[in-house]
Amino acid sequence: MKAMGIIPAGFAAIDGELQIAGKGVSAHIAAAGDTPLFVYDLARVRAQVAAFRAHMPDGVSLHYAMKANPWPALLTHMVALVDGIDVASAGELASAVAAGATHVSFAGPGKRDRELRAAVSAGVTLNLESEGEAERAIAIAADAGVRPRLAVRVNPDFDLRGSGMKMGGGAKPFGVDADRAAALVRRIVAAGADYRGLHIFAGSQALDADAIADAQASAIALSARVSRDSDTAPPLVNLGGGFGIAYFPNEVPLDIAAVGRRLADALAARDAVLADTRFAIELGRWLVGEAGVYLTRIIDRKESHGETFLVTDGGLHHQLAASGNFGTVVRRNYPLAIATRFGAPATETASIVGCLCTPLDRLGDRVAVPHADVGDVVAIFMAGAYGATASPAAFLGHPPPIERLVDGDARICPE
Ligand SMILES: *Cc1c(COP(=O)(O)O)cnc(C)c1O
């Protein structure tokens, strides 16, 4: 038997059925019309935003990195809840604008001319990834007769310790190296652009508050250095994000109160060149990951060489991350449960697999579960980020997942 991650707090059973936002999974499935489906609870997203506001120093803005979950119905709510949307393609830009976003910044390598043009005409801040991209953006803006809003993404000369995905420190395709950033700032100011500031993203999925706080302090120091070297104060410094969530056994949730305290200290001690600078933090998974539950139905129950397999109608084509094939080196079990026997004691060890013809399609590896049969529903928790759109949906030709938004607060404060 292998361990699984810890089911987030607040999930209860009524008559043995997992409740999401005050409703049983059968009711969610009936409303959706089929399985598999993702259910996102807006109340959980709101709680994360409230925790951010409560613990981060006043004046630190919250951006949503929409690649974590770009589903339009959710995105519309994110636009209202946060201070800015960070996009990484012209497609995401179009979705953000359609969702009503007015504060948008666009980072990401390999921006095509048509993407730069779309960003410049939409008045979006471009986080420049290279000198070459800067020249193209300047030329495209001149051609369009628009003063571009330009920021410089700096490839930090430090990394985020313990992060699941390192985005800084050493050779990277993202941003310009720290020692060339000041020259690029001078260049875009000299070109007459509307200089918006600096963007420093050092890593993702960190659970250690001190590691995040160290990276933030290093980002503040680096922005001060670039600003002094370029004689230009940045209107905004985007400090990156990297707030992780606990997916796996033995992981402990991030202490964001500790991050907030140390950030307040670092901001109070910042170099005078940053006196009038505003700061932002960009988060994806931390905002939406815990809000999502993936529900998939058991289609077959079988034995092979003494092992029990529960074969579901879902799989890695919807939830690649839970199968251990998205950004993890060692496969570990996401928190999961038999949603139609929620709270029942575990009586057997089973592997929960998807319906794809590949051994990679394993959602739960030898987990302890109550006895489950064909027709029972499996819930995979922590499924709100990097699920539907970070999975190879076209692989093997099964239908896409259904997505639904619910609001656990609605039952507490009915409209
Ligand atoms: C992906 C990404 C994020 C979001 O990362 P999470 O781990 O989901 O918080 C933030 N900023 C940039 C630049 C990114 O590429």
Side-chain angles (χ1 to χ4, degrees):
M1 189 194 79
K2 301 225 170 142
M4 62 171 98
I6 293 170
I7 295 173
F11 285 105
I14 293 183
D15 294 335
E17 215 181 80
L18 171 67
Q19 307 288 302
I20 305 171
K23 258 201 199 168
V25 290
S26 305
H28 287 296
I29 293 169
D34 203 357
T35 48
L37 74 152
F38 286 92
V39 181
Y40 310 122
D41 184 355
L42 202 52
R44 286 180 181 265
V45 178
R46 256 192 237 108
Q48 293 296 89
V49 173
F52 180 95
R53 306 265 189 227
H55 292 295
M56 290 304 125
D58 282 347
V60 173
S61 305
L62 173 60
H63 291 189
Y64 176 50
M66 66 171 279
K67 78 172 187 287
N69 191 328
W71 190 50
L74 176 64
L75 185 60
T76 302
H77 288 279
M78 298 310 292
V79 166
L81 286 169
V82 303
D83 310 306
I85 303 292
D86 290 346
V87 305
S89 68
E92 285 194 349
L93 170 58
S95 301
V97 170
T102 49
H103 291 80
V104 179
S105 43
F106 182 175
K111 298 184 196 77
R112 303 173 67 156
D113 284 356
R114 70 169 84 117
E115 296 186 288
L116 296 174
R117 205 169 291 120
V120 163
S121 6
V124 156
T125 296
L126 275 167
N127 293 339
L128 299 168
E129 303 277 346
S130 74
E131 289 88 350
E133 187 174 279
E135 293 309 323
R136 286 192 293 125
I138 289 165
I140 282 165
D143 205 47
V146 176
R147 188 172 181 224
R149 297 188 163 158
L150 302 181
V152 171
R153 180 165 179 184
V154 186
N155 173 25
D157 43 12
F158 56 88
D159 67 9
L160 174 53
R161 274 186 291 115
S163 57
M165 223 175 271
K166 289 198 186 349
M167 303 283 284
K172 289 284 178 304
F174 315 110
V176 296
D177 291 352
D179 59 359
R180 299 206 310 267
L184 185 54
V185 172
R186 283 185 192 276
R187 165 66 187 133
I188 64 181
V189 170
D194 181 4
Y195 174 57
R196 302 310 306 154
L198 301 168
H199 176 211
I200 302 172
F201 182 71
S204 217
Q205 179 55 13
L207 291 170
D208 177 356
D210 278 322
I212 290 178
D214 288 349
Q216 289 176 337
S218 301
I220 294 167
L222 174 56
S223 2
R225 184 149 46 88
V226 171
S227 305
R228 288 222 170 270
D229 291 351
S230 59
D231 278 323
T232 312
L236 178 78
V237 169
N238 179 334
L239 294 169
F243 293 19
I245 55 178
Y247 291 102
F248 301 119
N250 305 322
E251 285 185 339
V252 177
L254 173 66
D255 179 357
I256 77 146
V259 174
R261 281 192 299 271
R262 284 204 45 200
L263 180 57
D265 292 345
L267 289 178
R270 72 188 185 268
D271 188 295
V273 70
L274 302 178
D276 296 325
T277 298
R278 288 178 305 110
F279 293 85
I281 291 176
E282 52 180 0
L283 301 176
R285 78 180 76 232
W286 189 86
L287 290 173
V288 297
E290 203 177 301
V293 182
Y294 178 62
L295 298 175
T296 174
R297 199 180 283 285
I298 297 172
I299 299 297
D300 199 4
R301 177 189 166 99
K302 55 187 288 191
E303 310 286 325
S304 172
H305 288 275
E307 215 177 305
T308 300
F309 289 90
L310 302 171
V311 186
T312 67
D313 59 8
L316 70 74
H317 55 312
H318 301 158
Q319 225 343 348
L320 185 66
S323 78
N325 293 292
F326 186 74
T328 42
V329 181
V330 179
R331 196 205 170 284
R332 288 173 292 173
N333 287 318
Y334 266 47
L336 61 82
I338 307 298
T340 36
R341 299 169 192 257
F342 195 61
T347 52
E348 67 177 8
T349 297
S351 285
I352 294 165
V353 299
C355 55
L356 305 190
C357 268
T358 158
L360 299 178
D361 196 8
R362 192 171 279 240
L363 298 172
D365 185 28
R366 285 163 281 172
V367 287
V369 285
H371 180 98
D373 256 313
V374 172
D376 274 316
V377 174
V378 174
I380 313 268
F381 298 91
M382 309 302 278
Y386 304 107
T389 60
S391 304
F395 188 40
L396 270 123
H398 290 288
I402 301 164
E403 295 176 276
R404 287 179 55 79
L405 189 67
V406 297
D407 189 346
D409 282 348
R411 99 199 109 103
I412 300 159
C413 332
E415 294 285 295

